[in-house]
Amino acid sequence: MTNSYSPISSRIRAEIQAALSPGAVVTDPAELRKYCNDASKLCFSPEMVVCAQSVADVQAVMKLAQRHRFPVTPRGSGSGLAGGCLADQGGLVLSTERLREITLIDPVNGILKAQSGAISQEVKDAAASVGLYYPPDPAGMDLSTIGGNAATDAGGPACVKYGTTRDYILGLEAVLADGQLLETGVQTRKGVVGYDLTNLLIGSEGTLGIITSLWLRLIPRPPAITGMMAVFSDMQSAMRSVTRIMAGGHLPCAIEFLDHRCLSLVGEMLPFGLPGTTPSLLILELDGPGAQIAEEKERINELMEAEGVVALVNAANEQEREEIWAIRRQVSLRIHDYANLYDPEDVAVPLSTIATLVDQLSAYEAEYGVEIFAFGHAGDGNIHLSVTAQDGDRRNQVTAAVKALLAHSLELGGTISGEHGIGLAKRQYLPMEIAPASVALQEEIKALFDPNKILNPGKVFPPAGPTEEEL
Ligand SMILES: Cc1cc2nc3c(=O)[nH]c(=O)nc-3n(C[C@H](O)[C@H](O)[C@H](O)COP(=O)(O)OP(=O)(O)OC[C@H]3O[C@@H](n4cnc5c(N)ncnc54)[C@H](O)[C@@H]3O)c2cc1C
């Protein structure tokens, strides 16, 4: 897997500039800085940044990259948490953020076509404007692009009931490594013709093609929604409540949780005092016909009372619902700002094992001398474990704690990433979960799409050499 890439010389740079729409090459130094980061704490400077103004610009960049052998890193809005949109091998960052048109909303057939740079919240709003619903709701959706969501198969709180981005993509258009435009999938509710290239590109983190447009499936809007917060004196009883609710045949459209460390960062936003030293919070939402969710809420409250819920706070109106979500949204931002060292992990484990996992977090903290903030999507077992340290010299301890937590999650029957993807930050851990034969097959697929390894090189696959024992 050794690559020799060409630097982007002034001659190549001029050739790229001449091939693109006016203004596509970013030259303002202040603006250029933002393309060195994403929402991880990693930082790499690209040699050149292009904000494509058209699909033809994307194709032109890839044709020149193929000819001159420079790497191209696709980027949406850079809200990723795994360093996937960073140019760690130099070359060109290709942003789709200006390709943000919603080109079709068809309420009769329940489909919407958007360019990949459309902001995810705008897609949701566009669906709502015709009375329909686009369910995926990753917490950063007011920042992220719909193409970035597709490339990472983003999920969010509503995933527990409605699934991830993948479940709403019918087809897509993508520019391949040689500049060809590929169209995949269908614009119908069903379609089984040929291999499913749509689903191969979804979640491929920009390593197989640059997505330029997406056909999305919309569904009817739920007639009513209700939200509440449930306060517990410890996380175990909160997690046991989650298992009881799900095993009891209920399907809320969100069950999020925050542990005591997260609550300590958002304390001033809470409209109540917290019990004990390790309080925990569940945020629950139910949607559907009004009478049905009112009845279901009562039964869920009974289940939580059996687990010792200390307080229940109902959102009386839309504004109070929004205030609850504001608390949830603040958490990852505040952890990011709080710690010098910060590894945002997002394991997912079977629901029956969540309580076991969270029960052991304090032992990991003691063993590795780190602070672990636990929050996330309890309803689908997707636990965000932010492993942090204030002291910048504790990198080795943070890494060792992360590795141990990932190994433990796998032992529980889980996965090392429920939604953030592998990118750069977690590529060394991929062999912990995926067998060598599967990694080798995936590398062959990558080579078929991108024989010269110019498209987002160094992402997803482990760096050459490491064995599972070395990890
Ligand atoms: C506060 C906060 C909360 C978050 N909450 C969630 C959450 O609840 N659920 C969740 O899943 N994620 C969450 N994320 C992570 C992030 O928002 C998602 O991964 C999102 O899908 C990234 O979209 P983006 O446009 O920012 O992509 P980027 O960060 O720009 O890129 C992410 C990856 O996708 C590739 N990519 C981007 N655009 C394209 C394209 N058009 N074609 C091909 N490849 C492309 C990049 O190369 C990179 O590998 C959160 C992030 C933040 C900062």
Side-chain angles (χ1 to χ4, degrees):
M1 295 279 283
T2 51
N3 300 304
S4 60
Y5 296 117
S6 163
I8 301 183
S9 63
S10 49
R11 188 182 56 78
I12 296 175
R13 192 182 168 87
E15 210 181 323
I16 297 170
Q17 190 134 19
L20 302 180
S21 311
V25 176
V26 179
T27 52
D28 174 33
E31 216 193 317
L32 278 170
R33 269 196 291 280
K34 93 171 191 201
Y35 299 94
C36 302
N37 301 96
D38 64 357
S40 69
K41 286 200 169 177
L42 299 168
C43 179
F44 295 94
S45 302
E47 294 164 70
M48 189 169 183
V49 176
V50 165
C51 286
Q53 320 261 33
S54 64
V55 175
D57 282 349
V58 181
Q59 292 183 279
V61 165
M62 290 319 303
K63 283 181 185 156
L64 288 168
Q66 201 64 255
R67 186 181 312 154
H68 295 295
R69 299 277 194 275
F70 58 82
V72 175
T73 305
R75 180 179 173 106
S77 63
S79 72
L81 289 156
C85 66
L86 303 181
D88 67 309
Q89 311 209 9
L92 186 149
V93 163
L94 182 62
S95 168
T96 58
E97 69 201 299
R98 292 187 197 158
L99 301 176
R100 57 185 294 176
E101 222 182 303
I102 292 172
T103 46
L104 174 94
I105 312 179
D106 175 351
V108 176
N109 290 302
I111 51 179
L112 179 153
K113 189 179 185 194
Q115 287 188 305
S116 57
I119 296 295
S120 323
Q121 182 64 50
E122 289 171 4
V123 169
K124 211 177 185 48
D125 294 344
S129 73
V130 294
L132 290 174
Y133 190 41
Y134 174 71
D137 58 349
M141 71 184 304
D142 50 338
L143 305 169
S144 62
T145 63
I146 198 76
N149 288 177
T152 56
D153 188 22
C159 174
V160 58
K161 181 166 182 177
Y162 292 105
T164 61
T165 301
R166 182 188 298 282
D167 298 308
Y168 296 88
I169 299 178
L170 296 167
L172 55 79
E173 287 170 7
V175 173
L176 299 178
D178 61 1
Q180 258 193 89
L181 189 65
L182 174 78
E183 290 191 20
T184 72
V186 290
Q187 294 157 38
T188 52
R189 297 267 151 169
K190 283 179 167 178
V192 289
V193 180
Y195 287 172
D196 188 349
L197 296 182
T198 309
N199 269 303
L200 183 57
L201 266 90
I202 296 168
S204 66
E205 301 188 50
T207 59
L208 300 181
I210 301 178
I211 300 166
T212 48
S213 270
L214 292 148
W215 289 96
L216 301 171
R217 176 171 80 89
L218 309 177
I219 63 172
R221 258 184 101 67
I225 186 158
T226 179
M228 61 181 150
M229 289 189 280
V231 189
F232 294 82
S233 56
D234 61 76
M235 191 138 76
Q236 289 73 14
S237 39
M239 289 307 156
R240 281 195 304 270
S241 296
V242 172
T243 322
R244 265 183 187 248
I245 292 167
M246 301 302 285
H250 302 286
L251 193 49
C253 59
I255 311 189
E256 300 287 297
F257 82 101
L258 308 181
D259 78 345
H260 67 284
R261 290 206 185 282
C262 297
L263 288 172
S264 72
L265 297 182
V266 292
E268 94 288 351
M269 298 177 81
L270 301 173
F272 44 76
L274 291 168
T277 53
T278 55
S280 182
L281 184 73
L282 290 184
I283 297 171
L284 288 108
E285 289 203 334
L286 295 162
D287 67 4
Q292 180 190 313
I293 59 178
E295 193 193 320
E296 200 168 4
K297 193 166 160 181
E298 261 180 46
R299 278 189 277 134
I300 287 178
N301 287 353
E302 283 163 18
L303 292 175
M304 292 195 292
E305 273 157 18
E307 285 297 345
V309 68
V310 175
L312 285 166
V313 181
N314 288 302
N317 51 43
E318 192 50 34
Q319 192 194 326
E320 287 185 14
R321 244 193 90 219
E322 190 40 48
E323 282 166 11
I324 292 177
W325 283 112
I327 298 169
R328 167 66 181 83
R329 278 195 291 269
Q330 271 300 305
V331 169
S332 44
L333 301 172
R334 293 205 181 177
I335 300 171
H336 181 277
D337 293 345
Y338 166 81
N340 285 318
L341 291 178
Y342 153 76
D343 271 10
E345 300 304 320
D346 75 316
V347 302
V349 294
L351 285 188
S352 57
T353 66
I354 306 180
T356 313
L357 179 66
V358 297
D359 207 19
Q360 289 157 354
L361 294 181
S362 55
Y364 283 99
E365 289 185 321
E367 182 173 352
Y368 296 98
V370 295
E371 281 182 291
I372 303 172
F373 292 79
F375 66 101
H377 316 305
D380 45 31
N382 189 190
I383 315 290
H384 295 317
L385 298 171
S386 291
V387 183
T388 70
Q390 286 303 350
D391 178 353
D393 291 336
R394 298 189 73 79
R395 168 43 60 200
N396 290 345
Q397 287 88 335
V398 168
T399 304
V402 165
K403 245 189 252 179
L405 282 164
L406 298 185
H408 186 45
S409 305
L410 289 170
E411 277 160 23
L412 293 172
T415 173
I416 62 173
S417 180
E419 60 183 21
H420 295 162
I422 296 299
L424 196 55
K426 289 182 218 159
R427 61 185 182 151
Q428 72 272 31
Y429 305 128
L430 189 90
M432 291 173 76
E433 179 163 338
I434 299 192
S438 176
V439 175
L441 189 58
Q442 293 185 37
E443 282 179 330
E444 282 175 38
I445 292 171
K446 165 72 177 165
L448 195 63
F449 273 77
D450 180 18
N452 295 317
K453 301 185 178 82
I454 54 171
L455 201 46
N456 217 359
K459 310 292 160 42
V460 179
F461 296 105
T467 63
E468 203 170 327
E469 291 71 43
E470 286 164 342
L471 287 167

